[in-house]
Amino acid sequence: MTSIRFRLNGAATEVDADPDRALLDVLRSHFGLAGVHFGCGSGECGACRVIVGDHAVTSCDTPLWSVADKDVITLEGLGSAEHPHPLQRAFIAEQAMQCGYCVSGVIMSAAALLRQNRDPSEVDVRAALDRNLCRCGSHNRMVRAILAAAQEMVNQR
Ligand code: FES
Ligand code: FES
């Protein structure tokens, strides 16, 4: 066991755990963040994506030690039911899901994109979702939702 400090959804935090443990396990079991989903467990599906620094990473193959002193953001840190993030509002407005299992990972990939590119093209959005699998085939509606959220955020500036 090692004590690892990092910032989680904007708050300084510390956890005593095996430093090689997957970030996904720690976020779900220690912090109760159920928005981080387990899919493949091998970095292929994107269901477990969270933002570390400015990049969306697959938390199932990210060891806890690697986030020491870094900022980690999960879906819960983007917005709440009372104050949803523009991406969350847009996904609801566009009904951009079917089963919903992949969506938190997709939204985190989109949020990371919008941190780096505030006015992405459709090609940019599709490239950002390249590593997010959706077996329900909802990608077209997701792309529309992400572009709508980006436009809303541009208009708010
Ligand atoms: S569960 Fe992490 S990429 Fe699939
Ligand atoms: S909405 Fe079902 S897997 Fe994407």
PDB file of all heavy atoms in Angstrom, residues 24 37-48 58-61, ligand 1:
ATOM      1  N   LEU A  24      -9.354   2.808 -12.724  1.00  0.00           N
ATOM      2  CA  LEU A  24     -10.787   2.488 -12.809  1.00  0.00           C
ATOM      3  C   LEU A  24     -11.272   1.846 -11.507  1.00  0.00           C
ATOM      4  O   LEU A  24     -12.299   2.240 -10.951  1.00  0.00           O
ATOM      5  CB  LEU A  24     -11.057   1.565 -14.003  1.00  0.00           C
ATOM      6  CG  LEU A  24     -12.513   1.126 -14.239  1.00  0.00           C
ATOM      7  CD1 LEU A  24     -12.761   0.913 -15.721  1.00  0.00           C
ATOM      8  CD2 LEU A  24     -12.836  -0.134 -13.484  1.00  0.00           C
ATOM      9  N   HIS A  37     -17.159   3.359 -16.378  1.00  0.00           N
ATOM     10  CA  HIS A  37     -17.657   2.015 -16.688  1.00  0.00           C
ATOM     11  C   HIS A  37     -16.556   1.045 -17.094  1.00  0.00           C
ATOM     12  O   HIS A  37     -15.623   1.417 -17.807  1.00  0.00           O
ATOM     13  CB  HIS A  37     -18.681   2.096 -17.827  1.00  0.00           C
ATOM     14  CG  HIS A  37     -19.983   2.684 -17.393  1.00  0.00           C
ATOM     15  ND1 HIS A  37     -21.009   2.969 -18.265  1.00  0.00           N
ATOM     16  CD2 HIS A  37     -20.418   3.043 -16.164  1.00  0.00           C
ATOM     17  CE1 HIS A  37     -22.024   3.470 -17.588  1.00  0.00           C
ATOM     18  NE2 HIS A  37     -21.691   3.527 -16.315  1.00  0.00           N
ATOM     19  N   PHE A  38     -16.711  -0.194 -16.663  1.00  0.00           N
ATOM     20  CA  PHE A  38     -15.818  -1.275 -17.074  1.00  0.00           C
ATOM     21  C   PHE A  38     -16.409  -1.956 -18.306  1.00  0.00           C
ATOM     22  O   PHE A  38     -17.538  -2.420 -18.274  1.00  0.00           O
ATOM     23  CB  PHE A  38     -15.660  -2.294 -15.942  1.00  0.00           C
ATOM     24  CG  PHE A  38     -14.742  -3.427 -16.291  1.00  0.00           C
ATOM     25  CD1 PHE A  38     -13.386  -3.342 -16.038  1.00  0.00           C
ATOM     26  CD2 PHE A  38     -15.235  -4.572 -16.899  1.00  0.00           C
ATOM     27  CE1 PHE A  38     -12.530  -4.387 -16.379  1.00  0.00           C
ATOM     28  CE2 PHE A  38     -14.397  -5.621 -17.237  1.00  0.00           C
ATOM     29  CZ  PHE A  38     -13.041  -5.520 -16.979  1.00  0.00           C
ATOM     30  N   GLY A  39     -15.616  -1.990 -19.383  1.00  0.00           N
ATOM     31  CA  GLY A  39     -16.067  -2.698 -20.588  1.00  0.00           C
ATOM     32  C   GLY A  39     -15.148  -3.858 -20.881  1.00  0.00           C
ATOM     33  O   GLY A  39     -15.350  -4.969 -20.424  1.00  0.00           O
ATOM     34  N   CYS A  40     -14.093  -3.575 -21.642  1.00  0.00           N
ATOM     35  CA  CYS A  40     -13.183  -4.643 -22.063  1.00  0.00           C
ATOM     36  C   CYS A  40     -12.087  -4.921 -21.039  1.00  0.00           C
ATOM     37  O   CYS A  40     -11.550  -6.021 -20.966  1.00  0.00           O
ATOM     38  CB  CYS A  40     -12.543  -4.268 -23.390  1.00  0.00           C
ATOM     39  SG  CYS A  40     -11.497  -2.790 -23.280  1.00  0.00           S
ATOM     40  N   GLY A  41     -11.697  -3.899 -20.280  1.00  0.00           N
ATOM     41  CA  GLY A  41     -10.614  -4.059 -19.315  1.00  0.00           C
ATOM     42  C   GLY A  41      -9.237  -4.103 -19.935  1.00  0.00           C
ATOM     43  O   GLY A  41      -8.255  -4.415 -19.258  1.00  0.00           O
ATOM     44  N   SER A  42      -9.149  -3.794 -21.216  1.00  0.00           N
ATOM     45  CA  SER A  42      -7.840  -3.882 -21.877  1.00  0.00           C
ATOM     46  C   SER A  42      -7.539  -2.673 -22.772  1.00  0.00           C
ATOM     47  O   SER A  42      -6.779  -2.793 -23.726  1.00  0.00           O
ATOM     48  CB  SER A  42      -7.759  -5.170 -22.695  1.00  0.00           C
ATOM     49  OG  SER A  42      -8.809  -5.206 -23.647  1.00  0.00           O
ATOM     50  N   GLY A  43      -8.166  -1.556 -22.503  1.00  0.00           N
ATOM     51  CA  GLY A  43      -7.830  -0.330 -23.224  1.00  0.00           C
ATOM     52  C   GLY A  43      -8.381  -0.247 -24.637  1.00  0.00           C
ATOM     53  O   GLY A  43      -7.920   0.570 -25.429  1.00  0.00           O
ATOM     54  N   GLU A  44      -9.386  -1.064 -24.954  1.00  0.00           N
ATOM     55  CA  GLU A  44      -9.873  -1.117 -26.340  1.00  0.00           C
ATOM     56  C   GLU A  44     -11.207  -0.430 -26.568  1.00  0.00           C
ATOM     57  O   GLU A  44     -11.472   0.077 -27.661  1.00  0.00           O
ATOM     58  CB  GLU A  44     -10.005  -2.579 -26.778  1.00  0.00           C
ATOM     59  CG  GLU A  44      -8.715  -3.366 -26.774  1.00  0.00           C
ATOM     60  CD  GLU A  44      -7.719  -2.867 -27.816  1.00  0.00           C
ATOM     61  OE1 GLU A  44      -8.158  -2.340 -28.845  1.00  0.00           O
ATOM     62  OE2 GLU A  44      -6.510  -2.991 -27.568  1.00  0.00           O
ATOM     63  N   CYS A  45     -12.094  -0.398 -25.560  1.00  0.00           N
ATOM     64  CA  CYS A  45     -13.478   0.036 -25.840  1.00  0.00           C
ATOM     65  C   CYS A  45     -13.760   1.491 -25.487  1.00  0.00           C
ATOM     66  O   CYS A  45     -14.685   2.084 -26.023  1.00  0.00           O
ATOM     67  CB  CYS A  45     -14.463  -0.879 -25.117  1.00  0.00           C
ATOM     68  SG  CYS A  45     -14.566  -0.594 -23.327  1.00  0.00           S
ATOM     69  N   GLY A  46     -13.025   2.042 -24.534  1.00  0.00           N
ATOM     70  CA  GLY A  46     -13.207   3.453 -24.164  1.00  0.00           C
ATOM     71  C   GLY A  46     -14.293   3.722 -23.140  1.00  0.00           C
ATOM     72  O   GLY A  46     -14.506   4.878 -22.768  1.00  0.00           O
ATOM     73  N   ALA A  47     -14.989   2.684 -22.660  1.00  0.00           N
ATOM     74  CA  ALA A  47     -16.078   2.911 -21.698  1.00  0.00           C
ATOM     75  C   ALA A  47     -15.583   3.511 -20.387  1.00  0.00           C
ATOM     76  O   ALA A  47     -16.348   4.133 -19.650  1.00  0.00           O
ATOM     77  CB  ALA A  47     -16.802   1.592 -21.423  1.00  0.00           C
ATOM     78  N   CYS A  48     -14.313   3.310 -20.104  1.00  0.00           N
ATOM     79  CA  CYS A  48     -13.739   3.715 -18.812  1.00  0.00           C
ATOM     80  C   CYS A  48     -12.988   5.047 -18.884  1.00  0.00           C
ATOM     81  O   CYS A  48     -12.269   5.389 -17.954  1.00  0.00           O
ATOM     82  CB  CYS A  48     -12.774   2.633 -18.340  1.00  0.00           C
ATOM     83  SG  CYS A  48     -11.356   2.487 -19.469  1.00  0.00           S
ATOM     84  N   THR A  58      -7.796   5.765 -20.894  1.00  0.00           N
ATOM     85  CA  THR A  58      -8.554   4.586 -20.476  1.00  0.00           C
ATOM     86  C   THR A  58      -8.104   4.218 -19.069  1.00  0.00           C
ATOM     87  O   THR A  58      -6.953   3.828 -18.848  1.00  0.00           O
ATOM     88  CB  THR A  58      -8.325   3.427 -21.460  1.00  0.00           C
ATOM     89  OG1 THR A  58      -6.924   3.293 -21.726  1.00  0.00           O
ATOM     90  CG2 THR A  58      -9.041   3.688 -22.764  1.00  0.00           C
ATOM     91  N   SER A  59      -9.038   4.371 -18.120  1.00  0.00           N
ATOM     92  CA  SER A  59      -8.657   4.175 -16.717  1.00  0.00           C
ATOM     93  C   SER A  59      -8.469   2.715 -16.356  1.00  0.00           C
ATOM     94  O   SER A  59      -7.886   2.413 -15.320  1.00  0.00           O
ATOM     95  CB  SER A  59      -9.688   4.823 -15.793  1.00  0.00           C
ATOM     96  OG  SER A  59     -10.971   4.264 -15.985  1.00  0.00           O
ATOM     97  N   CYS A  60      -8.916   1.788 -17.227  1.00  0.00           N
ATOM     98  CA  CYS A  60      -8.742   0.365 -16.904  1.00  0.00           C
ATOM     99  C   CYS A  60      -7.293  -0.070 -17.014  1.00  0.00           C
ATOM    100  O   CYS A  60      -6.886  -1.048 -16.389  1.00  0.00           O
ATOM    101  CB  CYS A  60      -9.614  -0.512 -17.793  1.00  0.00           C
ATOM    102  SG  CYS A  60      -9.121  -0.514 -19.542  1.00  0.00           S
ATOM    103  N   ASP A  61      -6.503   0.637 -17.840  1.00  0.00           N
ATOM    104  CA  ASP A  61      -5.089   0.271 -17.967  1.00  0.00           C
ATOM    105  C   ASP A  61      -4.170   1.424 -17.567  1.00  0.00           C
ATOM    106  O   ASP A  61      -3.028   1.488 -18.014  1.00  0.00           O
ATOM    107  CB  ASP A  61      -4.777  -0.252 -19.381  1.00  0.00           C
ATOM    108  CG  ASP A  61      -5.088   0.759 -20.474  1.00  0.00           C
ATOM    109  OD1 ASP A  61      -5.548   1.869 -20.154  1.00  0.00           O
ATOM    110  OD2 ASP A  61      -4.859   0.423 -21.653  1.00  0.00           O
TER     111      ASP A  61
HETATM  112  S1  FES B   1     -12.821  -0.898 -20.065  1.00  0.00           S
HETATM  113 FE1  FES B   1     -11.156   0.428 -20.409  1.00  0.00          FE
HETATM  114  S2  FES B   1     -10.960   0.556 -22.540  1.00  0.00           S
HETATM  115 FE2  FES B   1     -12.531  -0.891 -22.232  1.00  0.00          FE
END
